[in-house]
Structures are given as structure tokens and as C-alpha cells.
């Protein structure tokens, strides 16, 4: 390091908002040491106020990072550098002493259950990226709470970032600002450091005024130190460190140590016509309709669905044995394409004020547009694509990026559950796993017991999605919809889930698996989906109340012949929807067995092995 840099390193940048001296010592040390390392021009401690938010948005407009959408109230559009559009699994790592702390050691090939980096390699990577990386920029200090401030289930983090986009988005996605610092006092917090990796003056011009450094992007998690370090990407999943990085990867590890669960699950409340209510948590890989289910308008008369959260659930057994869940987030970071009045009317009612849109198309009258919005453009209105070019349908590429997003406050959703911010959480009585399976997997089945349910979660498979960098339609293993988000060894994670059955007095939720996406031989969906999915929820609800009949099959319980309410539905072929083909399931069993043997290897709990063998035996008897 050149000597003059060393001298500068010890100069503390000026604090332009907030008071460093009033912060708890650990928070102050964290900020000061990283300010000396990253060398920003100034430090801004975020208070979360409306006034501050306006200033941040003004800064981004001035920098050309966002533009105001004149058609809506307080809505903004950001277009990113086309190289920075999604989570990048290949550059997302967990740092631990031993590889086996992070992932099982696969029998052959590399692990698909997370990426490990050694402490030495991380040290090198860190030191080539962070010194001086914020020169010419402001370091924003974002104190945030995952979960309602003060809830016994909540956790606090502090994110340091040089991106105003991150500040504005974290204000929507988390509880952020002065109130969090008060709640923190001298308590523990997760340390989050983020930089876009573009010190000023720039070495090369930005694309779309979007700072990022794709060549050096790295998103690293240090569970032992409760730290997250992210460099080079401004995209939400890589830069809003409260989201997947903290709420799943780091939280899953904290949850293992403290005896609870941090899961990639929506939470919904469903009330039957008699006024009885139950809460479900559901895990689906990205782009399988998770947000649509969380905000569903049920087609069944007299039933009501309310949303607690659409993406992440933190769940812990209380003293009475109820599994209590909170949504640690404060907003929705939803995929825009495919969201329409038909697919998700409640999302449409949520997103047209106080929202940041990223990589969607813009209409010439100051609105937004994307594939599957199902709204014809008014005469004379034209489109500019997410690549900032004039767009017409014969362009041959989508107007919005397939992973384009809306970032919107949860409180604006018309069907938020009255208890969505309840500090003690809501009691979960059913857990649903699901995926996008065009063939072979029935509409719904129920696990025989908790161990079988954990096996079903472990064996989840789904068509790959646009939220990560995978291309094309392949059936991928995605256990618990957590494959990209495990914070520690998946075998140990399974053992942790299995251990819930041994909790004294635990009222274990029933476990179900759904597949809305089965197709007939012509490639048409066999099930109408969307609001009609309430019929499947009704059956689950009644199963929990022990009022619905079911019949055992090789893979689990399915609804007995008349148990699924099809009143008012035409042309549903139940036989095809629930067909369990021996040939298909023999292949499925082989795939799952192979995956467990190779990927989980020596860390596969014997209970899962036992469930695997039991399924194989039942399939043989078909």
C-alpha cells in the first residue's frame, strides 16, 4: 500500500447527519473502522424520516439513477447496468473454518447446496476490494430491524453502504432509522458492509448511471462473526443485506443455535365462512406464484385470505408449543412480470404509490409496463424498454427484464393481516411445500407425519427460474426452496428440522405439498390456479380440523373422491390431476436418491434415508 494512502486511512470522514458519539461503542467501532478502510467523503447516519427519504430520492434523480414516474404518487424507476440484474449464486459465498460447516462434502463434483470460501481466500478477496472503495461517495449508516421493533423474535442489523438506492429500498423493506438505534442500546447486531465498488472519480463511464463492478462482485457471509460483506452489485438481492443475506443465510444459522427456524416462506391467514382462522407458511422457489398465493383473492364464497408476508418466515415454538411466525420484512420485493389484475389483484392495488420499480419498461405517459401485465396500451402511448430503448412487440425480446422488480411497502397491501406486525407472531398450523412440476406430481398431497414432511421438503424439485442466473427450463432440486439460501450444512439443517419433533409439548403443523402447474398431454394446465387455489387450502384447513377425508397413496394422503370442493368449476380432470404413475415416481425416487447420495452424502440424517427407502418400497408396490 503506498505510504500516502496509509496517512489518509486514519482520517475520519466528516459526519453530515447524525451523531457518531451517541451510538453504542460496538456500533461506533464498526462504522469508524470501515470508514477508515473504505474512505468515503462523508458519513450519513440514517434516521428513516420522510424528509431524509425525499433527499435520498432527489440525490438519485440528480445522479440519473432513478426517474420519477409521473403517472403515480411517489413512484420511481431505476434501470440497472444490464450486467447487474439478479442474485449471482456463483459469487455468493459462506465463510467458515471448514468446508463441511457450510456444505456437505459431495461424493463427486461440486456442492449445489451453497458455496464455501476459506477464511484465507476471503481475507485476500476483501483486501483487494474494500480499501478506498467508497472514495468520493457518502457512507450511509442504516440501522434496521428485521421484524417489528422490540419483538422477541426480531433481530437488528446495521448496514454501511455507498448506494442511495439501497437506503431508499431498505427504508421500504425493513424498519429503519432512529427507533432501531434506541431499541439496540448495547445489544447485538449483524454487521453488514456493502459497496457498489465504484470509487470516484470513475475509471470508466457508468451504464444507465448505475454504479456496479461486475468483475469483482462478491457477496460473502461470515456466520461465526455475524457479518455480511457485499461488493460490486447494486441489485436488491445482493445489496439489500437485510433480505436474503441476513433474513435467510445468517438467520438460519442463528436459528439453528437458538432453536428456531428461518425459512424462505410466505405466511398467510385463512378464515372460513364460520369465522375460524388458521395460519399457513409456504415454501416455493422463485417464480412459482408465492406472492400470488400470499395475496390471493379466494374464489370460494365466504372464505377470506390475509397476508402476513410473501417471502420470509421466522418461526419459533412458544411455551404453549405453538409454532409462532413473524414476517421479518416490512415490504415486498416482488417480481413484476406476470403480475396483473388477473394473477394478483392485491399486488396491483399495492404497488402504484411509494414504490421503486427496477428494470421494468416505461410508458410514454409516465407509467410502468411488463410482460403479463394484461393491460392494453392506450392509443398513442409508446414504450421504452428496461434497456432504455424504444420498444415494440416485434423487437423479439421482452420489454421488462424477466427478474424486474417492485419494492413496495407491505402496509399498502389491502389484505394485510391485522396481526402481521404482532410481536409474538402468528400460530402456524400448516406448512406447504410446492414447486413448478409440469408432469407427474399431484395437485396436493399431505405428509404421513413430521419426518415424512421434512423428507418432502428435502426432496422438492422445480423448474428453474429467472431470479438467479440459470438459463432455460430444467427441473432443479430446490430443497425447502432454500437451496441458494442455506447458511450452514444442509444435512445439519435437516437434522435441525427433524429435532422439532422432540420439543416438549410442540404442536407440530401438518405438512402438505402442492403443484399448481401440472399439464396435460397437449401442454395445457390441468388446474386453473390463482383464486381457485383456495379450494386446495380449504381441504388443508379441514384436514387440520379433522373434517376432510383423505386416502393414503404411495406418496402421501390425497383428497378422497369428493373431498375437494369443485362446486362451480368446469372441466377439471381429477383423475389426471391426482394420477400417481409408477413409471414417473420410480424415476423421481431415483433422482432424489441420487441427489441425496451425491450432494448430502455422509451428512444425510438416517431419518431421511429411512423415508427414502419407505417411499421406494411403496412405489414398487403400485
Amino acid at each position: 500500500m503506498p505510504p500516502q494512502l496509509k496517512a489518509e486511512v486514519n482520517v475520519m470522514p466528516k459526519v453530515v447527519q447524525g451523531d457518531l458519539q451517541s451510538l453504542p461503542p460496538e456500533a461506533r467501532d464498526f462504522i469508524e473502522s470501515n470508514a477508515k478502510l473504505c474512505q468515503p467523503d462523508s458519513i450519513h447516519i440514517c434516521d428513516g424520516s420522510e424528509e431524509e427519504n425525499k433527499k435520498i430520492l432527489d440525490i438519485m434523480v440528480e445522479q440519473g439513477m432513478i426517474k420519477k414516474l409521473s403517472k403515480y404518487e411517489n413512484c420511481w424507476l431505476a434501470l440497472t447496468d444490464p450486467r447487474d440484474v439478479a442474485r449471482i449464486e456463483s459469487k455468493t459465498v459462506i465463510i467458515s473454518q471448514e468446508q463441511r460447516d457450510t456444505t456437505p462434502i459431495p461424493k463427486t463434483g461440486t456442492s449445489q447446496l451453497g458455496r464455501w470460501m476459506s477464511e484465507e481466500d476471503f481475507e485476500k478477496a476483501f483486501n483487494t476490494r474494500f480499501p478506498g472503495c467508497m472514495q468520493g461517495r457518502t457512507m450511509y449508516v442504516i440501522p434496521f430491524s428485521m421484524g417489528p421493533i422490540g419483538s422477541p423474535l426480531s433481530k437488528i442489523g446495521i448496514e454501511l453502504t455507498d448506494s442511495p438506492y439501497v437506503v431508499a429500498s431498505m427504508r421500504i423493506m425493513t424498519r429503519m432509522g432512529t427507533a432501531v438505534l434506541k431499541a439496540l442500546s448495547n445489544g447485538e447486531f449483524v454487521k453488514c458492509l456493502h459497496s457498489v465498488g465504484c470509487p470516484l472519480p470513475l475509471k470508466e463511464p457508468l451504464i444507465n448511471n448505475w454504479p456496479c463492478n461486475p468483475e469483482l462482485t462478491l457477496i460473502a457471509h461470515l456466520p461465526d462473526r455475524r457479518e455480511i460483506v457485499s461488493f460490486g452489485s447494486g441489485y436488491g438481492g445482493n445489496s439489500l443485506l437485510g433480505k436474503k443475506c441476513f433474513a435467510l443465510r445468517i438467520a438460519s444459522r442463528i436459528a439453528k443455535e437458538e432453536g428456531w427456524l428461518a425459512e424462505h416462506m410466505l405466511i398467510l391467514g385463512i378464515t372460513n365462512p364460520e369465522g375460524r382462522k388458521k395460519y399457513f407458511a409456504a415454501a416455493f422457489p422463485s417464480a412459482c406464484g408465492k406472492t400470488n398465493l400470499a395475496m390471493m383473492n379466494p374464489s370460494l364464497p365466504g372464505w377470506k385470505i390475509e397476508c402476513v408476508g410473501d417471502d420470509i418466515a421466522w418461526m419459533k415454538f412458544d411455551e404453549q408449543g405453538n409454532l409462532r411466525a413473524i414476517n421479518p420484512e416490512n415490504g415486498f420485493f416482488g417480481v413484476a412480470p406476470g403480475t396483473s389484475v388477473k394473477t394478483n389483484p392485491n399486488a396491483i392495488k399495492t404497488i402504484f404509490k411509494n414504490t421503486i420499480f427496477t428494470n421494468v419498461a416505461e410508458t410514454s405517459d409516465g407509467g410502468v409496463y411488463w410482460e403479463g401485465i394484461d393491460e392494453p396500451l392506450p392509443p398513442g402511448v409508446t414504450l421504452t424498454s428496461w434497456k432504455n430503448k424504444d420498444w415494440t412487440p416485434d423487437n423479439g425480446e421482452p420489454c421488462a427484464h424477466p427478474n424486474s422488480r417492485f419494492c413496495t411497502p407491505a402496509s399498502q397491501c389491502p389484505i394485510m393481516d391485522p396481526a402481521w406486525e404482532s410481536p409474538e407472531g402468528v400460530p402456524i398450523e400448516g406448512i406447504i411445500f410446492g414447486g413448478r412440476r409440469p408432469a407427474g406430481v399431484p395437485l396436493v398431497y399431505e405428509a404421513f407425519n413430521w419426518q415424512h414432511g421434512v423428507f418432502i421438503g428435502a426432496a422438492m424439485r422445480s423448474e428453474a427460474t429467472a431470479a438467479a442466473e440459470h438459463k432455460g427450463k430444467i427441473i432443479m432440486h430446490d430443497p425447502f426452496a432454500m437451496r441458494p439460501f442455506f447458511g450452514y450444512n444442509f444435512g445439519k439443517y435437516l437434522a435441525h428440522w427433524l429435532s422439532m419433533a422432540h420439543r416438549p409439548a410442540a404442536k407440530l403443523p401438518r405438512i402438505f405439498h402442492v403443484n399448481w402447474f401440472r399439464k396435460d398431454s397437449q401442454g395445457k394446465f390441468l388446474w386453473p390456479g390463482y383464486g381457485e387455489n383456495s379450494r386446495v387450502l380449504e381441504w388443508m384447513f379441514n384436514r387440520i380440523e379433522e373434517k376432510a377425508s383423505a386416502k393414503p397413496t404411495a406418496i402421501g394422503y390425497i383428497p378422497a373422491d369428493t373431498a375437494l370442493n369443485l362446486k362451480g368449476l368446469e372441466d377439471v380432470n381429477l383423475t389426471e390431476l391426482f394420477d400417481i404413475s409408477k413409471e414417473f415416481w420410480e424415476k423421481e425416487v431415483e433422482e432424489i436418491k441420487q441427489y441425496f447420495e451425491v450432494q448430502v452424502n455422509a451428512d444425510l440424517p438416517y431419518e431421511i434415508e429411512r423415508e427414502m427407502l419407505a417411499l421406494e418400497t411403496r412405489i414398487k408396490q403400485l
Side-chain angles (χ1 to χ4, degrees), residues 207-416:
I207 298 173
N208 284 339
N209 298 311
W210 181 265
C212 61
N213 188 339
E215 285 74 35
L216 288 177
T217 294
L218 183 69
I219 301 95
H221 306 72
L222 296 92
D224 292 336
R225 287 169 24 190
R226 306 285 193 256
E227 285 177 27
I228 302 159
V229 172
S230 171
F231 186 92
S233 169
Y235 167 77
N238 305 325
S239 67
L240 311 182
L241 301 184
K243 198 163 176 56
K244 307 294 196 197
C245 298
F246 179 165
L248 290 177
R249 296 190 193 97
I250 294 291
S252 65
R253 168 66 189 274
I254 297 173
K256 179 182 178 282
E257 290 169 22
E258 296 181 357
W260 49 282
L261 300 165
E263 299 300 327
H264 187 205
M265 291 182 176
L266 66 89
I267 307 165
L268 62 80
I270 177 162
T271 307
N272 74 1
E274 290 75 57
R276 282 197 306 285
K277 184 170 195 172
K278 297 193 182 304
Y279 288 96
F280 286 83
F284 296 92
S286 293
C288 284
K290 199 148 110 246
T291 303
N292 294 351
L293 182 62
M295 298 185 192
M296 185 211 294
N297 267 352
S299 61
L300 286 178
W303 286 79
K304 183 162 78 169
I305 284 182
E306 289 163 303
C307 176
V308 176
D310 79 323
D311 195 39
I312 295 171
W314 287 0
M315 304 185 285
K316 187 176 190 177
F317 283 103
D318 65 15
E319 281 165 11
Q320 287 70 48
N322 300 302
L323 186 60
R324 293 268 172 187
I326 61 165
N327 166 14
E329 298 189 296
N330 197 36
F332 302 123
F333 185 66
V335 175
T339 305
S340 70
V341 170
K342 181 193 167 207
T343 61
N344 195 337
N346 290 311
I348 294 290
K349 287 175 189 158
T350 305
I351 60 181
F352 292 120
K353 61 177 185 196
N354 306 318
T355 296
I356 300 170
F357 293 94
T358 302
N359 288 342
V360 300
E362 185 188 2
T363 60
S364 55
D365 61 350
V368 290
Y369 207 78
W370 50 74
E371 277 62 35
I373 198 168
D374 277 353
E375 293 281 322
L377 282 174
V381 171
T382 57
L383 280 185
T384 304
S385 79
W386 75 277
K387 291 182 176 171
N388 211 5
K389 294 185 177 134
D390 293 341
W391 188 91
T392 59
D394 43 15
N395 271 32
E397 58 176 18
C399 65
H401 187 274
N403 192 40
S404 53
R405 298 280 173 161
F406 52 79
C407 179
T408 194
S411 57
Q412 292 178 186
C413 175
I415 60 156
M416 283 315 277

